[in-house]
Amino acid sequence: MANTRYAHAEAILGTELVSRLAHTKVLLVGAGGIGCELLKNVVLTGFGHITLLDLDTIDLSNLNRQFLFRKKDVKHSKAMVAAQTAGAFNPKVHIHPIHANIKEPHFDIEWFQSFDIVLNALDNLDARRHVNKMCMAAGIPLVESGTAGYLGQVQPLLKDRTECFDCVTKPTPKSFPVCTIRSTPSQPIHCIVWAKSYLLPQLFGEEEDGGAELDEAEKQGENAQEIAALRKEALAYKAVRKALHSAETTDDAAKTVFQKVFRADIKNLLSMPDMWRSREKPTPLDFDAIVVGTFVVKEPSKNVVSSSHSKGQVNGYVNGGPTKPAPPSNRNGGLKDQRALTLHDNLTLFVSSTNRLASRVRAGEETISFDKDDDDTLDFVTAASNLRSAAYYIERKTRWEVKEMAGNIIPAIATTNAIISGLIVLQALHLLRKSYASLKNVHLQFKPAVPLSTVNLCPPNPRCGVCRDTYAKVQCDPSRVTLGELLDGILGDGEGEGRGTGKRDVSVYEDKRVLSDPDWDDNNDRTLESLGVTRGKFLTIVDEEGEWGTIAVALCELPPNHSNDAPALMLPSSLPKPPFHPRPSTPVPVPSRKRSAPDDDVAEVAPLPKRAKTNGPSSTEFGSPGKKRRLEEDGLVMLDSAADKMESEDVIEID
């Protein structure tokens, strides 16, 4: 054993588990910060068959923490380069790299079932949720992970034993109303999002009118007057865009863009007084005045930039003649990207970046989108957002800060990624040896005394809409199978074990689309293909009465050797039968102890006479006042003594 490559692993894990690792098939999703460290770990641990999948390409900013890449690899596939680099660490392992999106339809439930375990090293919520659902449907163990700066987490997930990724609601990404971004910003992020997601695409992206976004904003009840102004503004952008794309671009073209965006549009907004009743009015910027240094705006309290703003100045222009423009701040000491830019610096950067982008478009580049590693787009977003911030008296940001915010950069530290990757492998080994009692949620925290903490796994959330569904795999030809045929086949006749639930009222969904319900079955005779339901999609069958659990049907391809004459639909050998929770029966009402009103066909009877009054205390007590009252409600009159008599003869006396 001492001479083998895995002697250390055999000493710790045991010979049996180490020998199994050579035949274990692992799917590793993501080849970024965590993915590179994790791939190195699984290769050195001895996992024999590794499939590495990532859609991304290598950026220059990745090189400070993703050590499987070099500068020569920039713009190449992360999966391909990582597999090539890590393969040299252990020639006995087989790495299959895939440069693709994990959500592509051919990565269906059957494909996931070909693996023994899935390891997630993703950086976005949507992909994480997709992999979680596929693993729950396939019944494959998953190890989820994530890092942010010094913090990290590892979470093993196994259907029916632990909660899944969706058992706990995750916060949705922050979004901003359209009118806030485009008319009334109040934070630096508003201006950065505007420059990145609105101004840059309007000038250099695909040409579109943006009407759909404004239509949606109008439906959401945003200010109608603002939306009308924004529609007019969008039309004006077409003329500016044409000037940048067609004629030889000069500083005058950049100035035209500036005058449109930072002067005319702001003046247009100021013409609507209702918008500024409860907020401060912005100041239209003046290109020429900024150039010569005679234009100033009120600086926000947190802004450290000083741009020719002296005592006695107000928003707009300096009191007096022209002043010498402030020298560019990058001439002083410090890192270039972390220096604060003056108003004049931002104007110069705006003109320069606009001209550079226009030159690229004229050279044949059809569309330009933001990339944090593209200096031209980063310069443009930095300058445009800071100029807009100046007009609205918002704190301006350095180029580095804009890159962080616009690029959605989560602080990443190589050491954190390395620690989390090691913990992922430990949890994966527990899952493979089925030591479920040893599984833990592990947190890396910013506490030097206790850097690691563990939490016992929680059971599945009974209300989870992912792991509590009953999954079924169906092989079919979507071009020949109708929705009704699939539905009838899955529900079955309900007569015996494995025969389904039988016919019942259900609604059928594909993602958020309603395909059928008890009152609308127009689609039941249409093929699945005509409804856009093909390989890799899920059909969700929901009981109309809410008594049966939800069935999620995963669509897969027919076997390769399947004859064309054979049935186009292959159902599972045992039809799914989700949990049944009958509605509680309506409680039977307790009969009232009070007399019911007499029926109409019963002769009226004179009311019973009141008992005769007696003088003085009674000789015998027959009961409490409460009991007397209840007896009277039942038609009985209790006399105080045997000597008392009733005036009416229509009574029955009881001793």
Side-chain angles (χ1 to χ4, degrees):
M1 184 178 72
N3 297 324
T4 67
R5 181 185 186 97
Y6 305 112
H8 62 291
E10 291 177 358
I12 299 171
L13 304 176
T15 305
E16 189 272 335
L17 178 59
V18 172
S19 62
R20 281 176 52 200
L21 292 180
H23 307 286
T24 300
K25 296 179 179 179
V26 180
L27 171 61
L28 200 167
V29 189
I34 297 176
C36 282
E37 289 287 341
L38 184 55
L39 178 62
K40 176 202 69 177
N41 287 349
V42 295
V43 166
L44 294 177
T45 304
F47 286 82
H49 302 273
I50 304 165
T51 297
L52 176 65
L53 188 146
D54 196 299
L55 175 65
D56 205 3
T57 56
I58 300 165
D59 290 330
L60 186 64
S61 61
N62 299 149
L63 303 184
N64 72 332
R65 63 193 180 280
Q66 298 173 21
F67 300 135
L68 299 183
F69 308 139
R70 297 292 179 265
K71 191 172 183 179
K72 64 181 178 60
D73 302 322
V74 170
K75 300 302 180 185
H76 290 81
S77 164
K78 284 187 175 181
M80 301 297 179
V81 175
Q84 183 179 5
T85 306
F89 299 164
N90 188 349
K92 293 185 178 182
V93 304
H94 304 279
I95 306 176
H96 175 46
I98 303 176
H99 179 71
N101 189 338
I102 189 62
K103 296 182 68 176
E104 290 178 12
H106 54 276
F107 301 130
D108 57 10
I109 187 174
E110 283 190 325
W111 186 78
F112 271 83
Q113 286 177 333
S114 67
F115 299 101
D116 297 305
I117 192 168
V118 178
L119 309 178
N120 253 1
L122 291 164
D123 60 358
N124 72 87
L125 182 63
D126 187 51
R128 280 185 166 119
R129 297 185 66 182
H130 176 78
V131 173
N132 173 70
K133 182 171 184 176
M134 297 304 294
C135 288
M136 293 301 112
I140 302 299
L142 167 67
V143 182
E144 179 58 67
S145 63
T147 64
Y150 293 102
L151 308 178
Q153 180 183 4
V154 175
Q155 181 181 19
L157 307 173
L158 186 61
K159 183 169 171 57
D160 297 332
R161 283 188 174 271
T162 72
E163 64 181 7
C164 77
F165 185 75
D166 281 309
C167 279
V168 178
T169 304
K170 304 297 186 295
T172 55
K174 178 68 175 174
S175 60
F176 305 99
V178 173
C179 290
T180 298
I181 296 297
R182 291 171 61 176
S183 300
T184 55
S186 59
Q187 301 173 26
I189 187 62
H190 296 162
C191 299
I192 293 170
V193 170
W194 170 84
K196 169 193 169 183
S197 303
Y198 177 70
L199 184 61
L200 181 65
Q202 279 280 2
L203 298 178
F204 302 106
E206 292 185 11
E207 189 170 7
E208 54 184 37
D209 57 11
E213 183 184 30
L214 294 176
D215 291 342
E216 182 62 27
E218 198 165 22
K219 290 178 183 177
Q220 298 296 328
E222 295 192 34
N223 189 298
Q225 190 180 17
E226 289 182 50
I227 292 174
L230 293 174
R231 291 187 192 279
K232 182 179 177 181
E233 174 187 307
L235 293 174
Y237 269 106
K238 291 187 175 181
V240 176
R241 179 187 175 94
K242 186 177 180 180
L244 291 172
H245 284 240
S246 58
E248 186 72 21
T249 304
T250 64
D251 286 358
D252 289 340
K255 182 177 180 179
T256 301
V257 176
F258 179 96
Q259 298 287 52
K260 163 73 178 71
V261 175
F262 301 109
R263 189 163 185 83
D265 287 351
I266 294 178
K267 282 187 173 182
N268 185 45
L269 292 173
L270 290 174
S271 67
M272 295 179 282
D274 289 348
M275 289 180 59
W276 314 108
R277 288 180 178 175
S278 58
R279 56 172 68 95
E280 194 169 7
K281 295 180 180 180
T283 298
L285 303 183
D286 188 316
F287 187 96
D288 295 326
I290 294 175
V291 170
V292 299
T294 60
F295 188 88
V296 292
V297 291
K298 181 178 69 177
E299 298 290 350
S301 58
K302 290 184 179 180
N303 199 348
V304 298
V305 180
S306 174
S307 65
S308 309
H309 194 149
S310 60
K311 186 175 180 180
Q313 298 172 357
V314 295
N315 290 337
Y317 302 89
V318 176
N319 295 333
T323 63
K324 184 179 179 180
S329 55
N330 57 12
R331 294 176 186 171
N332 302 324
L335 296 174
K336 173 186 173 183
D337 284 359
Q338 297 181 14
R339 294 175 184 145
L341 301 175
T342 66
L343 197 58
H344 186 274
D345 292 339
N346 282 302
L347 177 61
T348 304
L349 188 61
F350 178 80
V351 172
S352 170
S353 59
T354 300
N355 290 338
R356 279 180 274 145
L357 291 170
S359 298
R360 287 167 54 176
V361 171
R362 294 197 326 273
E365 196 168 345
E366 293 185 3
T367 60
I368 300 174
S369 57
F370 177 79
D371 184 337
K372 64 182 183 298
D373 295 310
D374 182 336
D375 285 340
D376 296 342
T377 58
L378 180 57
D379 285 345
F380 180 85
V381 170
T382 300
S385 62
N386 279 338
L387 289 170
R388 187 169 177 83
S389 294
Y392 284 86
Y393 328 124
I394 299 170
E395 179 187 4
R396 302 198 285 275
K397 295 294 183 179
T398 66
R399 189 175 186 271
W400 172 255
E401 291 171 325
V402 172
K403 183 176 183 176
E404 274 193 317
M405 298 170 77
N408 297 316
I409 297 175
I410 299 174
I413 299 174
T415 306
T416 305
N417 292 336
I419 295 171
I420 291 299
S421 299
L423 293 170
I424 292 172
V425 174
L426 290 177
Q427 295 300 315
L429 294 173
H430 287 318
L431 285 167
L432 290 173
R433 62 173 23 151
K434 298 185 178 180
S435 301
Y436 300 135
S438 301
L439 294 173
K440 300 285 184 182
N441 283 340
V442 187
H443 298 267
L444 179 61
Q445 50 197 3
F446 192 57
K447 295 180 180 179
V450 190
L452 289 177
S453 67
T454 60
V455 180
N456 290 330
L457 298 179
C458 296
N461 180 354
R463 296 183 178 274
C464 178
V466 176
C467 67
R468 294 300 84 205
D469 288 354
T470 299
Y471 288 93
K473 181 178 70 175
V474 167
Q475 295 175 290
C476 68
D477 180 355
S479 65
R480 293 192 287 155
V481 176
T482 66
L483 178 63
E485 290 172 347
L486 177 62
L487 186 59
D488 291 341
I490 285 293
L491 294 181
D493 55 24
E495 297 178 358
E497 190 69 24
R499 302 291 296 272
T501 63
K503 302 295 185 294
R504 51 193 172 92
D505 288 341
V506 296
S507 297
V508 183
Y509 298 84
E510 190 279 311
D511 196 13
K512 297 178 181 179
R513 292 190 300 148
V514 181
L515 301 182
S516 175
D517 66 33
D519 299 321
W520 180 64
D521 58 2
D522 297 9
N523 288 331
N524 284 6
D525 294 329
R526 294 180 58 183
T527 64
L528 297 175
E529 186 177 65
S530 69
L531 295 170
V533 182
T534 53
R535 179 186 181 186
K537 299 288 183 70
F538 283 89
L539 283 178
T540 306
I541 302 173
V542 181
D543 187 60
E544 193 71 10
E545 299 297 327
E547 296 184 324
W548 290 95
T550 299
I551 300 175
V553 182
L555 269 63
C556 301
E557 283 187 323
L558 290 168
N561 58 353
H562 193 74
S563 171
N564 291 333
D565 298 329
L569 175 64
M570 293 180 62
L571 296 169
S573 57
S574 178
L575 296 179
K577 192 168 186 178
F580 180 70
H581 302 289
R583 288 184 174 180
S585 57
T586 305
V588 179
V590 179
S592 174
R593 298 177 63 184
K594 295 184 179 181
R595 289 182 299 171
S596 59
D599 296 332
D600 293 339
D601 57 350
V602 178
E604 292 186 3
V605 179
L608 294 174
K610 295 181 179 179
R611 56 186 173 86
K613 294 182 179 180
T614 58
N615 295 325
S618 58
S619 59
T620 308
E621 291 294 330
F622 283 86
S624 66
K627 184 174 182 179
K628 291 180 180 179
R629 184 172 61 253
R630 290 195 298 272
L631 289 172
E632 288 175 358
E633 289 174 353
D634 291 334
L636 301 175
V637 177
M638 181 177 290
L639 302 181
D640 289 335
S641 68
D644 290 344
K645 298 292 183 182
M646 299 295 296
E647 297 177 355
S648 172
E649 295 180 357
D650 190 17
V651 295
I652 299 175
E653 292 185 4
I654 301 174
D655 290 338

